[in-house]
Amino acid sequence: MKKRDYSYTQNRELSWLKFDDRVLKEAKDNTVPLLERLNFISIFTSNLDEFYMIRCGSLFDLTLIDEDDWDNKTGWSPQEQLDAIFKATKPLYEERDLIFDEIAKDLRKYGIVKHNFNELNSKFRQYATQYFYENVAPLLSPQIIDSYHPFPHMANKKLYIYCILERGASKKKNSKEYIGLIPIPYSLPDYVKFPDTNEFILMEDLVYAFAEGIFTNYRVKYRTVAAVTRNADINLQDTPIDEDEDYRHFMKNILKKRKRLSPIRLEFYKSNDSTYTKYLRKELGLHKNQVFLTQSPINLDFIHDFIKELPGDVTDDLTFLEFTPQRTSQIDPNKSLFKQLDKKDILLFYPYQTMDHFLDFLKEAANDPEVLSIKITLYRVARTSRVIKYLIEALDNDKEVTVLIELRARFDEKNNIHYAELLEEAGCQILYGFVDYKVHSKICTVTKKHNGTIKQYTQIGTGNYNEKTARLYVDYCYLTSNQEIGDDATEFFKNLALANLQGHYNKFLVAPTSLRSGIMNLIDKEIAKAKNNQPAEILMKMNSFTDRRIIDKIAKASKAGVTVKMIIRGICCIIPGLKDKTDNIEIRGIVGRYLEHSRVYAFGVGEDRILYISSADMMTRNTAKRVEIACPIEDKAIKARILEDLDIMLKDDIKGRRINSDGDYECIQQARHINSQEFFQQRAIDEMKDVKVKKDNPNFLNSVVDKIKSIFN
């Protein structure tokens, strides 16, 4: 076997930590409004939580297996990877604490104050005390741990006040120590806001302050706030489903099992005295390198709700200027969307353009008497979903509706189970996909019969059918009446219904069968061009890049002289800029107000360039373990618009960063002063302004021509 070359690759988990550090550094940017900087710390924390629950969880599982499972980017064992992760995480906690403290001090200037109980003035102290005894104390369930009160199950990410208690004689040698735990109930609010102010105290700080009064007849010798992070990566292949078992019921049981998976991390807020916390670590079976101390709150989810409670005159200066996703000039809201699609393809660019257009497409399909069927894949949908509403509306109007709903969309399982039951009760044909493959594709197809002719209208997306995330994630939504794409869409849904992964498609590249091989073939064509001294270029945008086979192929393309440009938001396992290996590869990433989520793959130069949009990243989990679609964009105007978007992103020197030959992020010195996300916001606004000007002024074009002539004269 050929020896693996690790010189141009890096571990995916450490790459993810570098990305999350990049998110955290946005909180240091003084040009970002203060509350948005606080929000970036919250995003960083949520990312880190999920990282430990999923990525570290899966590595932990691998350490329990006898057979070796080496990382194909570094050659490290699972335990070596975990040790490197734990070591790399500690500086991130320290950095977060410093940034949080700095922002908290700046927010005090605006009257936004997070208090500790011991710093409260008499008025606030009286209010907090009364609130505690009336609203908090009755809900608490403190516990002493001894031979009659065994160590309890500590729920994932739940907050606990952990205490060392003394009882007996006051002299140390005659006193006896006990462990005390106070779980913070989920039913309690995250914080208590003081009346007529923007000042507050966190619930854990309030309960922490009253520990003495909770454990009556004991002296509190030591106390801290603790939370355990548990493995949330359930391997369904190790939990076979019985032939006669309902799949939804099976998934409900799996979700219950997740709550009791192994601990992977222990966090302390305020204090981590190893003398006193050693007991807790040992009970959870954790090594000391899995224990982390934070001086900023463990749970920062409260930030979102707190910002919503603040009055507008406060938030105006401390948050981003409000932006409303725009309607697109491509669509006339007064005409049938299907008739408009008969004439041209349409591209939407979220969140700069509104998802309402796609919802209008679904609503029209639900109520059009000529529509026969609607088929759609659902991976993540909003808690209150208009997509579900219109699908049920279509069922009420006797349309055939088929929905592939992925019950294994991590952390959205309960929501998807709920909607699967709701749709099935309404008469929808529900599909659940495949045993070993998640269906991650974003496709919707509508079949219509007009004047005896059957026609397909298809939507392909890079993001979910989720109204909430469509306002936060950068994604493409492509609508077309192209019959070849419609035929592929019909074939795709037929194969889903027949559990067939080996389908043949004329236009689509579909994982797990043809996506990876199709991409590699396109890379090979660019390599062949470069070897023949022809212009050759590869341009890719994705969330993460980890597929070792495609990484090696991209490195080969670089060696052959192919120009490779990549825009990668998250994990990137290839190291660019290494002499004679990856020196023709340039990689950039953008972290800003919105989450970059679109996937685009382009090959070649000029008019012959081939371009796909996709739901898939170039990750092994996408190319080999999921059902994904890459759809070609052949409409010249739409292809040009997407390439223009990518060009703007590559020029971003405000929120963009370049990955250097050490695999780290560095600032881009271009002096262009382009913030791509702000550019796309303004472009969306300007395009709709132009539509209004044209509508209000029929002689608009003539006036523009006259203005241009006057400039040249």
Side-chain angles (χ1 to χ4, degrees):
M1 181 184 289
K2 185 179 178 182
K3 188 176 180 181
R4 180 77 77 179
D5 183 356
Y6 299 124
S7 63
Y8 55 87
T9 53
Q10 64 177 328
N11 177 266
R12 74 170 190 170
E13 277 69 33
L14 294 186
S15 174
W16 173 260
L17 287 176
K18 288 180 180 180
F19 160 69
D20 207 19
D21 180 46
R22 168 79 183 90
V23 173
L24 182 60
K25 281 184 168 56
E26 275 299 296
K28 293 177 70 174
D29 186 349
N30 290 324
T31 66
V32 176
L34 263 177
L35 287 174
E36 301 296 350
R37 290 170 61 193
L38 197 61
N39 212 19
F40 274 112
I41 299 180
S42 175
I43 294 168
F44 161 84
T45 302
S46 296
N47 285 349
L48 196 61
D49 290 346
E50 187 172 337
F51 172 81
Y52 266 84
M53 284 188 273
I54 303 305
R55 301 192 187 282
C56 292
S58 61
L59 284 172
F60 177 78
D61 287 342
L62 289 173
T63 63
L64 305 178
I65 300 173
D66 291 336
E67 60 185 282
D68 293 333
D69 194 315
W70 307 102
D71 174 37
N72 66 6
K73 319 299 187 306
T74 59
W76 294 345
S77 70
Q79 189 59 56
E80 286 174 323
Q81 293 177 71
L82 283 174
D83 290 342
I85 289 166
F86 299 144
K87 182 179 179 181
T89 303
K90 287 192 183 293
L92 297 180
Y93 274 89
E94 294 169 3
E95 186 176 12
R96 181 182 67 173
D97 289 343
L98 289 171
I99 298 171
F100 184 88
D101 186 58
E102 177 189 328
I103 293 173
K105 287 177 182 175
D106 289 341
L107 285 172
R108 281 178 175 262
K109 301 171 188 174
Y110 297 87
I112 300 172
V113 183
K114 182 188 86 67
H115 286 288
N116 290 317
F117 188 84
N118 58 11
E119 69 180 21
L120 295 177
N121 61 35
S122 58
K123 181 181 176 182
F124 284 177
R125 186 178 289 249
Q126 182 181 357
Y127 179 87
T129 301
Q130 184 177 347
Y131 186 95
F132 174 80
Y133 283 111
E134 290 181 358
N135 301 287
V136 179
L139 299 177
L140 298 179
S141 301
Q143 178 182 341
I144 296 294
I145 299 169
D146 59 19
S147 56
Y148 293 97
H149 304 85
F151 186 81
H153 171 77
M154 293 182 70
N156 182 45
K157 291 300 296 178
K158 188 171 187 175
L159 297 177
Y160 295 81
I161 308 301
Y162 170 80
C163 301
I164 303 294
L165 309 171
E166 284 184 321
R167 191 175 187 180
S170 58
K171 291 183 179 179
K172 187 174 182 181
K173 64 179 180 179
N174 295 321
S175 65
K176 186 176 181 181
E177 287 188 354
Y178 295 84
I179 304 295
L181 275 180
I182 311 169
I184 308 292
Y186 293 123
S187 57
L188 289 174
D190 291 332
Y191 57 89
V192 178
K193 197 161 176 277
F194 295 107
D196 304 318
T197 72
N198 296 320
E199 302 180 44
F200 65 100
I201 184 170
L202 291 176
M203 185 56 66
E204 59 265 35
D205 286 333
L206 184 60
V207 178
Y208 176 95
F210 283 92
E212 293 271 8
I214 294 169
F215 290 108
T216 54
N217 301 323
Y218 294 88
R219 290 184 299 277
V220 177
K221 184 176 181 180
Y222 170 84
R223 63 187 130 175
T224 186
V225 183
V228 62
T229 306
R230 292 183 177 274
N231 181 0
D233 190 45
I234 298 174
N235 189 344
L236 295 178
Q237 292 177 337
D238 295 339
T239 315
I241 181 172
D242 294 334
E243 289 184 11
D244 58 348
E245 185 175 6
D246 175 76
Y247 187 62
R248 278 203 305 268
H249 180 71
F250 167 75
M251 283 303 301
K252 287 178 181 178
N253 288 332
I254 286 292
L255 293 182
K256 292 177 185 176
K257 186 180 292 187
R258 173 186 280 166
K259 295 178 181 179
R260 303 197 69 86
L261 292 180
S262 300
I264 196 76
R265 175 181 63 163
L266 178 60
E267 295 173 285
F268 291 109
Y269 168 45
K270 293 182 178 294
S271 172
N272 174 22
D273 188 321
S274 59
T275 304
Y276 295 122
T277 58
K278 185 178 181 181
Y279 169 84
L280 189 55
R281 174 172 65 80
K282 284 197 169 184
E283 281 293 329
L284 294 168
L286 296 174
H287 190 270
K288 60 183 178 182
N289 67 354
Q290 293 172 265
V291 179
F292 301 93
L293 172 66
T294 173
Q295 299 300 332
S296 47
I298 292 173
N299 182 0
L300 291 172
D301 289 345
F302 74 89
I303 289 171
H304 311 292
D305 292 331
F306 182 75
I307 291 174
K308 289 177 185 176
E309 277 195 56
L310 293 172
D313 60 337
V314 174
T315 57
D316 283 348
D317 294 330
L318 301 179
T319 56
F320 289 123
L321 291 174
E322 185 177 354
F323 174 76
T324 302
Q326 302 291 295
R327 296 193 72 86
T328 176
S329 58
Q330 303 169 75
I331 295 174
D332 186 336
N334 300 312
K335 294 181 181 178
S336 162
L337 195 45
F338 291 108
K339 288 182 179 178
Q340 294 179 71
L341 286 170
D342 285 335
K343 297 178 181 178
K344 64 178 181 180
D345 293 350
I346 292 169
L347 181 74
L348 303 175
F349 194 18
Y350 305 151
Y352 313 110
Q353 293 168 324
T354 178
M355 186 185 173
D356 287 350
H357 290 302
F358 171 73
L359 296 170
D360 291 343
F361 171 78
L362 267 188
K363 185 177 181 180
E364 185 177 344
N367 293 280
D368 187 332
E370 293 184 337
V371 167
L372 303 176
S373 69
I374 302 172
K375 298 174 183 177
I376 191 170
T377 57
L378 298 180
Y379 193 76
R380 300 188 195 277
V381 291
R383 292 290 187 265
T384 304
S385 173
R386 287 165 63 193
V387 172
I388 301 295
K389 176 187 173 184
Y390 294 139
L391 292 174
I392 291 175
E393 202 169 291
L395 289 162
D396 291 342
N397 291 329
D398 298 324
K399 315 295 182 190
E400 294 290 331
V401 178
T402 300
V403 176
L404 182 294
I405 189 158
E406 182 52 75
L407 298 189
R408 293 169 294 175
R410 193 173 282 123
F411 305 125
D412 276 274
E413 298 98 339
K414 285 181 70 175
N415 194 46
N416 288 2
I417 288 170
H418 165 70
Y419 279 133
E421 291 172 343
L422 194 67
L423 286 165
E424 192 169 70
E425 287 173 7
C428 179
Q429 180 185 0
I430 296 290
L431 307 175
Y432 293 128
F434 302 85
V435 175
D436 298 327
Y437 301 89
K438 286 185 183 181
V439 179
H440 190 249
S441 313
K442 325 295 182 187
I443 182 170
C444 175
T445 186
V446 173
T447 304
K448 189 175 178 182
K449 188 173 184 179
H450 180 68
N451 293 332
T453 302
I454 299 291
K455 191 158 187 180
Q456 301 290 132
Y457 297 86
T458 306
Q459 181 272 342
I460 302 284
T462 65
N464 295 299
Y465 299 106
N466 186 319
E467 296 95 301
K468 182 179 178 181
T469 57
R471 298 176 67 90
L472 302 170
Y473 290 13
V474 177
D475 272 307
Y476 286 114
C477 170
Y478 174 54
L479 291 154
T480 182
S481 62
N482 181 298
Q483 206 54 40
E484 287 182 290
I485 289 177
D487 290 342
D488 271 6
T490 300
E491 184 69 13
F492 179 77
F493 278 100
K494 184 187 82 172
N495 289 328
L496 288 181
L498 298 177
N500 175 27
L501 289 172
Q502 304 301 320
H504 172 75
Y505 304 94
N506 293 317
K507 294 289 183 180
F508 292 167
L509 299 177
V510 178
T513 51
S514 62
L515 176 61
R516 178 197 267 160
S517 59
I519 294 293
M520 292 178 74
N521 286 339
L522 289 164
I523 296 171
D524 278 334
K525 288 180 180 179
E526 294 308 301
I527 292 172
K529 289 179 190 175
K531 288 180 176 178
N532 289 322
N533 296 317
Q534 297 174 336
E537 184 174 295
I538 296 168
L539 177 56
M540 293 181 165
K541 180 178 186 291
M542 66 193 94
N543 293 320
S544 296
F545 188 26
T546 70
D547 188 305
R548 181 71 207 229
R549 290 176 61 184
I550 299 177
I551 286 172
D552 290 344
K553 186 67 75 171
I554 286 290
K556 184 178 178 182
S558 174
K559 288 182 185 178
V562 179
T563 299
V564 181
K565 296 179 182 178
M566 295 178 146
I567 304 166
I568 299 175
R569 172 177 59 86
I571 303 168
C572 179
C573 290
I574 192 169
I575 300 173
L578 297 175
K579 185 173 174 56
D580 299 327
K581 294 195 176 192
T582 59
D583 41 1
N584 286 313
I585 301 173
E586 182 179 7
I587 303 175
R588 302 193 178 200
I590 297 168
V591 174
R593 176 175 181 174
Y594 305 115
L595 184 138
E596 294 290 337
H597 194 253
S598 55
R599 292 90 162 186
V600 181
Y601 305 106
F603 306 87
V605 295
E607 293 185 1
D608 295 331
R609 180 175 267 163
I610 296 169
L611 186 145
Y612 286 84
I613 63 169
S614 181
S615 57
D617 295 306
M618 294 296 104
M619 303 178 74
T620 307
R621 74 176 189 188
N622 299 92
T623 58
K625 299 176 183 178
R626 288 185 177 181
V627 179
E628 306 269 17
I629 291 174
C631 174
I633 302 295
E634 296 173 340
D635 181 284
K636 290 183 179 180
I638 289 179
K639 186 193 291 187
R641 170 52 70 99
I642 293 174
L643 291 170
E644 176 187 305
D645 294 346
L646 297 180
D647 184 55
I648 294 297
M649 292 176 196
L650 287 167
K651 291 176 179 174
D652 191 326
D653 56 354
I654 294 178
K655 293 302 174 187
R657 295 289 183 273
R658 181 189 290 110
I659 297 180
N660 62 26
S661 56
D662 293 320
D664 298 322
Y665 293 90
E666 63 182 20
C667 291
I668 300 166
Q669 304 298 325
Q670 289 182 163
R672 297 178 187 272
H673 304 301
I674 293 176
N675 180 326
S676 59
Q677 295 187 350
E678 288 183 356
F679 174 90
F680 296 133
Q681 278 186 173
Q682 193 59 48
R683 185 181 69 180
I685 293 169
D686 291 343
E687 286 179 350
M688 287 310 296
K689 280 182 181 176
D690 288 348
V691 170
K692 189 175 186 308
V693 170
K694 291 175 188 176
K695 186 176 180 181
D696 294 344
N697 180 10
N699 298 316
F700 171 76
L701 285 177
N702 291 334
S703 65
V704 171
V705 171
D706 291 339
K707 189 173 182 179
I708 292 172
K709 285 181 178 178
S710 67
I711 291 172
F712 281 100
N713 290 333

